[in-house]
Every structure is written in C-alpha cells, then in structure tokens.
Amino acid sequence: MSKKSIKIIIEISARHVHISKADFKAVFGQGAELTMFRQLSQPHSFAANEVVTLKTAKDELKNVRILGPIKKRTQVEISKTDAYYLGIPALVRESGNLAGTPGLTIAGPKGEVKIRSGVILAHRHIHASSADAKKYGLKHGQLISVKFNRLRGVTFHNVLVRISKIFTWRMQIDTDEANAAGIDEENNVGEVIIA
C-alpha cells in the first residue's frame, strides 16, 4: 500500500475553542445559544458566530472563534506561536487528553471563566472514516507520514490517525505547520505514506 499514491486534503486549523455548556453560559449569558457561522468538513462540526478573548497574565488573543457543537469539557487549541505570545507552555496533545495542560481565562460579552487546564497544541492528525481505514489498512491511533510536495514542501511525520464511521477523509494541521510548508487553500493536497 505504501507504493500507491494516497491523496489527502490538508486543512489548516486556526486557533479555536471547544466550549462546555457551563463555560459558554458564563461568558455569553444564560439565554445565549451557539449559532452557526459555517459548516466544517467533519460532520456535525461548525464554526460559530461567537468569538471570545483568551487571556493570560502576559497577554491576550481577541476574536478567537468557538467551534460547535457544545462539548462536555472546554478545550482551547492554539499554535506554538500563540503559546509563546500568551506565555504558557506549548504541549502537543491529542484532542481530549487534557491532563497536565495549562489553563487561561476565556472572556466574552457577559463575563469570563478561568479554566485550570485544557489549552493544547493539537497533535497533527488525519480524520478517517471506517471505510477509509479499511481501504488503506489504517488503525485508530496509528502514526503515519504525509508528504507535501511543493516549493517549501515537507514531510509531516507522526501524523495521528483518528477513525470514526462519520469522519471525512482530511488531515488537520495548525497555522505554524501550514506556514512553514507553504500550505494554503489553493495548495493543500498531500500524499499519505503508509510504511
């Protein structure tokens, strides 16, 4: 399978917040509801109209978009550049693995909430449906490589495979990774390498 060219669209995931119901109410008010700005490539996921400010003792980032739907626990995903700007440790983690991660304050129009943990650099990853996984011989949690062959091309190693029957075949990286490789909306197709 490694000799066959397996193409994948590489999406750039800018800083964003997945927010719990309690934290959303704290920053937007009791009667507020999360509203859709645009649908994302993964089913049931959307960019919301609502934005917040991320605050630390060092600095703040304004107009950070919330992604829906509402989650059980708040998680903030930033780049390493953002982490440096905010003055907090940059810990690479798989989504949902928040133990030992730093926290910050999330501010909105009606208030703010301080989370003790939940700020991560998302582990670069591929969303694969169960059918994709079977077709390409992939397993959940597997680490593979993806080659982006352009002028500033790179090979991304340690790309985490995440599998669900509802996923759409896509790779996601953060803005630092995209900028380093020259990836944008017009130049965003990589080649999956399965050893």
Side-chain angles (χ1 to χ4, degrees):
M1 189 65 70
S2 60
K3 295 181 180 179
K4 183 179 179 181
S5 178
I6 304 168
K7 303 297 185 184
I8 191 165
I9 294 173
I10 304 173
E11 296 179 328
I12 304 165
S13 184
R15 67 179 76 106
H16 61 270
V17 176
H18 299 281
I19 198 164
S20 69
K21 184 176 181 179
D23 290 344
F24 181 77
K25 298 298 184 185
V27 298
F28 286 95
Q30 286 300 316
E33 296 289 341
L34 195 61
T35 60
M36 184 185 296
F37 172 64
R38 67 178 174 87
Q39 186 71 43
L40 299 178
S41 65
Q42 298 306 314
H44 313 302
S45 297
F46 61 92
N49 288 303
E50 291 73 26
V51 296
V52 294
T53 298
L54 306 180
K55 299 165 66 174
T56 64
K58 182 176 182 288
D59 225 313
E60 62 182 43
L61 292 169
K62 296 182 178 180
N63 297 314
V64 179
R65 195 168 298 279
I66 294 175
L67 299 190
I70 295 289
K71 300 291 186 178
K72 290 182 179 179
R73 185 173 177 187
T74 296
Q75 175 176 297
V76 177
E77 298 183 29
I78 59 175
S79 69
K80 189 167 186 177
T81 299
D82 293 335
Y84 176 79
Y85 182 81
L86 292 170
I88 57 177
L91 303 178
V92 177
R93 293 291 179 86
E94 181 179 358
S95 180
N97 179 12
L98 307 181
T101 56
L104 45 61
T105 298
I106 301 173
K110 297 295 185 180
E112 57 184 43
V113 63
K114 185 172 184 177
I115 58 171
R116 292 178 174 268
S117 63
V119 183
I120 65 169
L121 274 63
H123 197 303
R124 64 178 74 111
H125 59 278
I126 284 176
H127 291 279
S129 69
S130 303
D132 293 326
K134 184 176 181 180
K135 179 179 179 181
Y136 300 131
L138 299 172
K139 295 185 178 180
H140 186 77
Q142 182 178 355
L143 295 175
I144 61 175
S145 298
V146 175
K147 182 178 181 181
F148 180 71
N149 193 19
R150 292 283 180 162
L151 183 61
R152 299 189 71 190
V154 301
T155 298
F156 294 102
H157 298 288
N158 300 317
V159 180
L160 181 69
V161 175
R162 300 177 62 195
I163 298 171
S164 168
K165 63 182 180 180
I166 66 167
F167 280 164
T168 300
W169 180 245
R170 295 287 189 276
M171 176 178 172
Q172 292 188 339
I173 58 176
D174 68 27
T175 50
D176 284 352
E177 294 168 315
N179 289 339
I183 296 171
D184 56 35
E185 290 186 0
E186 294 182 0
N187 301 289
N188 64 350
V189 177
E191 181 179 353
V192 177
I193 302 169
I194 303 173

